[in-house]
Amino acid sequence: MSSHQFNFPVLKQRAVIVQAIRDFFRRSGFWEAETPQLVPLPSMEPYLEVFETQLLDQNRQPTRAFLISSPEYAMKQMLAAGSGNIFQITKSFRNAEGVSPRHNPEFSILEWYRVGADYLQIMDDCEQLLKSIAKTIHPDQQPILEYQGEIYNLTEPWERITVSQAFKKYAQIDQKTLLTTPKLLAASKERGYQVNEQTTWEEVYNQIFLNEIEPNLGKTKPTIIYEYPVSQAALSKKKKSDPRFAERFEFYINGLELGNAFSELTDWQEQLNRLKEDQQEKARTGRTLFDIDYNFINALKSGLPECAGIAVGVDRLVMLFTDQPSIQETLAFPATHLWPELIK
Amino acid sequence: MRKGMFVLHHNEPHQVISHEFVSPGKGSAFTRVKLRNVLTSKMMDFTYKTTEQVELAEVETRELQYIYQEGNNFVFMNPRTYDQVEVSGEVMGSDHNFLKEEMICHVQFYNDQPIGIFLPKKVTLEVTEAEEAVAGDRVTAPKKQAKLETGATIAVPIFVKTGDKVVIDTSTGEYVSRNN
């Protein structure tokens, strides 16, 4: 076993960045909630696999227990009970994703929720947050990010483009084609992607997005891509003026997704329906199954205030601000060190 | 999808250089791969659906013996037919660090063009120059640099001396053991 090399300059910079994030939210009228990482029921995210363990009572009788894949359900219960604006930096866990420059099974997630706001205000928060981190690191220079030889200007306004506009601009696919399953499947086949009877709209939509759109996002400044087709936004509100789209956005730098935001769905009945569909999807794809969290549904029933929120990958942010090629370099104990066999 | 495998992408053979899992928000799983076109050496990224059937490129492997280097090319011979084949430095990559005359290697061909090479998993090479060990440096792992007969320099334990034969793992380029 080789001795472990700690990259202390990067780890210290990480601590500075995490502190800068906390300072930013305290200054902006948020308080930091603390919710559990070990829970009886995790989030029902259909395409994520969970970590399951057992909680033993004093007679060693087991109960199912899970590590969270995000603190969202707990934070929404606090919002429904009247917490006001809250944020949190916590560990989250996702299984069966392998280890890559952008993934570690345990990662740090930043979530914040703004009461009485919609996704547009979260866009502004993102601009101000990144600027504030840059200012903390380099107080006497313009808010820029230097990453792997490229310079990104963090000054607002960032580039803003809707999903429809991006499909038109980068893949020459118009909105009608995008939203019509047979048309999109045909367009996708024409572009050389594999399409067969089992191929779904969601698969070709994401495959075109990943291959032809994502690499163009966040080239010289961050890009906010917004208004997703409604099927791509399980926890978000539909856009009032066009219910085929949801009030969701993501922001990107250098083709790297950094955060995913919604105007939060407050309708408990619709939320419950979507969770049931997601549970079906988990069953269909052979993932670990568990019950719907009715504490979460009941909280929505009691009244989740109009709010918007976002989840941001802290390790990815640190990777960018410390100019490291992968998130593993930003961690004192990356999974690749703890389980060297994972690299193969 | 495995690192090193050959696949047909848009009807051209590509080698998988790396792959990673991608899950776009509320989307199903995808595999992003870095591909090297083995005909043009051009690198590209492509994202596959995890349900996709990827067509394998028909790559043939032949056992050949290395005989000598000529400029940037490495000449191999079929020990049964005495046919000679030149493998370019580009295809050879960093493997030449551990390549020694008469070594039997597996060369991969696509349409009779060499496109990849595998050295034996472990090779034994002579140390031609070993640094004096530095005493007292216990913070880092107790290793020192040694030059091999092929010209490559690797990290070895401090007890290794000039003239020793050492076993190298060619997939990692790391010292395995001493074999005098």
Side-chain angles (χ1 to χ4, degrees):
Chain A
M1 174 123 176
S2 60
S3 64
H4 187 29
Q5 306 280 331
F6 291 103
N7 190 340
F8 286 124
V10 169
L11 296 178
K12 286 178 184 174
Q13 192 77 315
R14 180 185 175 101
V16 168
I17 292 165
V18 169
Q19 190 59 48
I21 296 171
R22 292 201 154 104
D23 290 345
F24 170 80
F25 284 104
R26 285 199 193 105
R27 277 199 314 273
S28 312
F30 289 74
W31 62 279
E32 184 164 13
E34 227 178 296
T35 60
Q37 294 171 0
L38 185 68
V39 293
L41 292 169
S43 306
M44 190 69 71
E45 291 175 84
Y47 300 105
L48 296 183
E49 185 53 289
V50 292
F51 280 91
E52 179 167 8
T53 181
Q54 290 185 331
L55 183 66
L56 304 178
D57 70 7
Q58 65 273 36
N59 301 317
R60 305 190 67 81
Q61 285 306 304
T63 311
R64 294 181 88 186
F66 300 86
L67 297 176
I68 55 167
S69 55
S70 109
E72 179 165 5
Y73 289 8
M75 292 180 81
K76 282 186 175 168
Q77 289 176 54
M78 294 177 76
L79 287 158
S83 64
N85 293 349
I86 46 173
F87 81 100
Q88 177 167 211
I89 295 173
T90 188
K91 294 288 188 185
S92 289
F93 305 82
R94 293 178 186 180
N95 216 341
E97 296 193 350
V99 175
S100 72
R102 300 166 178 207
H103 288 94
N104 199 66
E106 172 181 340
F107 63 103
S108 292
I109 194 168
L110 160 67
E111 293 205 358
W112 74 91
Y113 294 87
R114 215 178 235 291
V115 175
D118 66 12
Y119 70 146
L120 298 172
Q121 277 140 297
I122 304 293
M123 292 181 189
D124 298 341
D125 284 341
C126 290
E127 290 173 340
Q128 296 307 320
L129 171 65
L130 264 67
K131 243 173 62 177
S132 166
I133 297 171
K135 279 283 179 196
T136 305
I137 298 173
H138 303 291
D140 42 8
Q141 82 184 36
Q142 288 302 307
I144 56 156
L145 172 69
E146 281 188 74
Y147 185 66
Q148 307 285 294
E150 302 288 332
I151 292 180
Y152 302 89
N153 183 355
L154 301 177
T155 308
E156 74 273 21
W158 293 352
E159 184 196 13
R160 295 188 185 194
I161 185 169
T162 67
V163 170
S164 288
Q165 288 165 350
F167 269 81
K168 185 81 194 139
K169 181 172 178 185
Y170 298 117
Q172 295 77 48
I173 289 174
D174 61 39
Q175 195 182 78
K176 190 157 185 230
T177 305
L178 176 66
L179 295 178
T180 318
T181 303
K183 278 182 192 271
L184 190 66
L185 290 173
S188 165
K189 190 162 191 175
E190 206 173 294
R191 304 175 82 76
Y193 294 106
Q194 209 178 85
V195 176
N196 60 35
E197 315 81 76
Q198 271 93 46
T199 308
T200 63
W201 177 89
E202 184 273 323
E203 286 177 321
V204 291
Y205 160 84
N206 272 311
Q207 195 170 25
I208 295 170
F209 189 91
L210 292 167
N211 279 304
E212 301 184 48
I213 295 173
E214 198 176 77
N216 296 301
L217 303 179
K219 279 306 201 195
T220 55
K221 51 166 54 192
T223 298
I224 290 172
I225 180 161
Y226 65 107
E227 286 176 13
Y228 281 68
V230 75
S231 64
Q232 297 305 296
L235 296 167
S236 81
K237 258 197 169 61
K238 288 174 184 161
K239 198 168 161 350
K240 281 179 207 83
S241 57
D242 186 351
R244 296 173 301 169
F245 294 93
E247 294 189 352
R248 169 186 172 192
F249 77 84
E250 291 193 331
F251 74 100
Y252 281 81
I253 295 177
N254 185 34
L256 177 65
E257 186 241 316
L258 290 165
N260 184 18
F262 305 114
S263 296
E264 302 296 344
L265 182 62
T266 50
D267 178 341
W268 69 269
Q269 189 63 59
E270 186 170 352
Q271 180 68 73
L272 181 58
N273 293 344
R274 292 194 197 176
L275 290 184
K276 285 179 181 166
E277 283 168 25
D278 289 346
Q279 202 180 31
Q280 288 294 314
E281 180 66 14
K282 273 189 182 282
R284 193 182 70 79
T285 52
R287 291 189 169 80
T288 307
L289 285 176
F290 45 84
D291 291 349
I292 288 172
D293 184 350
Y294 278 90
N295 287 335
F296 169 53
I297 293 296
N298 288 335
L300 295 192
K301 234 185 233 183
S302 76
L304 181 65
E306 294 298 314
C307 64
I310 185 168
V312 171
V314 174
D315 310 296
R316 290 181 176 187
L317 267 189
V318 172
M319 174 184 94
L320 291 179
F321 279 105
T322 56
D323 197 10
Q324 296 299 308
S326 80
I327 67 168
Q328 276 75 38
E329 269 93 11
T330 73
L331 300 169
F333 295 92
T336 45
H337 174 72
L338 299 172
W339 292 274
E341 65 275 15
L342 283 179
I343 306 170
K344 307 223 160 92
Chain B
M1 200 71 76
R2 282 190 326 277
K3 196 170 148 180
M5 75 192 282
F6 293 93
V7 298
L8 278 182
H9 181 70
H10 293 149
N11 291 320
E12 291 200 0
H14 288 75
Q15 187 169 27
V16 176
I17 304 301
S18 66
H19 58 97
E20 69 173 301
F21 173 89
V22 193
S23 169
K26 309 294 170 192
S28 53
F30 293 81
T31 304
R32 174 170 290 149
V33 293
K34 200 168 270 307
L35 297 173
R36 185 177 60 86
N37 184 317
V38 298
L39 305 178
T40 64
S41 291
K42 221 178 121 191
M43 300 287 280
M44 68 168 299
D45 288 328
F46 189 74
T47 304
Y48 288 100
K49 302 184 269 286
T50 46
T51 53
E52 212 160 315
Q53 295 292 318
V54 179
E55 204 178 334
L56 297 181
E58 280 181 31
V59 172
E60 183 194 344
T61 302
R62 294 180 203 151
E63 217 173 68
L64 299 178
Q65 186 170 37
Y66 174 57
I67 40 183
Y68 60 90
Q69 183 170 0
E70 197 174 73
N72 191 31
N73 291 340
F74 299 83
V75 182
F76 287 78
M77 181 187 73
N78 184 324
R80 282 168 292 279
T81 63
Y82 301 103
D83 288 337
Q84 291 192 6
V85 176
E86 284 194 6
V87 174
S88 71
E90 211 157 29
V91 167
M92 177 63 68
S94 60
D95 279 349
H96 73 85
N97 281 330
F98 307 113
L99 185 65
K100 191 181 158 184
E101 278 163 29
E102 296 181 14
M103 198 176 268
I104 301 283
C105 299
H106 287 96
V107 180
Q108 296 179 297
F109 292 83
Y110 181 77
N111 284 344
D112 271 337
Q113 287 295 312
I115 57 164
I117 183 159
F118 286 108
L119 265 53
K121 175 91 176 97
K122 287 184 180 154
V123 299
T124 303
L125 295 170
E126 192 177 318
V127 174
T128 53
E129 223 178 294
E131 276 180 356
E132 285 298 308
V134 184
D137 180 11
R138 309 300 297 182
V139 178
T140 52
K143 289 268 171 79
K144 62 177 185 178
Q145 299 295 309
K147 197 166 177 185
L148 305 174
E149 58 181 308
T150 56
T153 302
I154 62 161
V156 296
I158 44 178
F159 57 76
V160 171
K161 299 182 302 292
T162 303
D164 281 352
K165 292 208 165 43
V166 292
V167 179
I168 316 288
D169 180 334
T170 56
S171 62
T172 59
E174 283 171 8
Y175 169 92
V176 179
S177 60
R178 187 161 58 162
N179 183 18
N180 284 338

